[in-house]
Amino acid sequence: MTRVLVFDTTHHALWAEQIATDLRVGAQVIPAPADAKAKCDLALEVLEEDAERLLASLREAGVPFAVYVSVSG
């Protein structure tokens, strides 16, 4: 299972990817889901087991993000 993070800018998405890489967590850049209505076309998909550690690191670094929740199920 994975979580998808969305961002307001490409800079924020790539910053988050770099933090994920530095932490060696399972994450990859993907297109932002259309129904996420994100301002940036990039999203970051992260493995569920790594999500909380990455989210804490993103908050600590000051990276703005939102966790995407599918409305279709």
Side-chain angles (χ1 to χ4, degrees):
M1 185 167 231
T2 62
R3 283 199 208 174
V4 175
L5 309 180
V6 293
F7 305 91
D8 287 342
T9 69
T10 300
H11 171 76
H12 293 146
L14 298 178
W15 185 11
E17 180 189 29
Q18 184 60 53
I19 290 171
T21 299
D22 292 347
L23 291 172
R24 294 192 166 127
V25 301
Q28 70 177 23
V29 174
I30 62 169
D35 63 336
K37 298 186 176 157
K39 294 179 183 176
C40 172
D41 290 334
L42 299 177
L44 190 67
E45 185 175 46
V46 60
L47 294 173
E48 189 67 36
E49 60 265 22
D50 294 326
E52 289 309 315
R53 187 165 63 116
L54 178 58
L55 297 181
S57 293
L58 294 177
R59 288 183 189 109
E60 184 178 317
V63 180
F65 69 91
V67 177
Y68 168 72
V69 177
S70 174
V71 293
S72 62

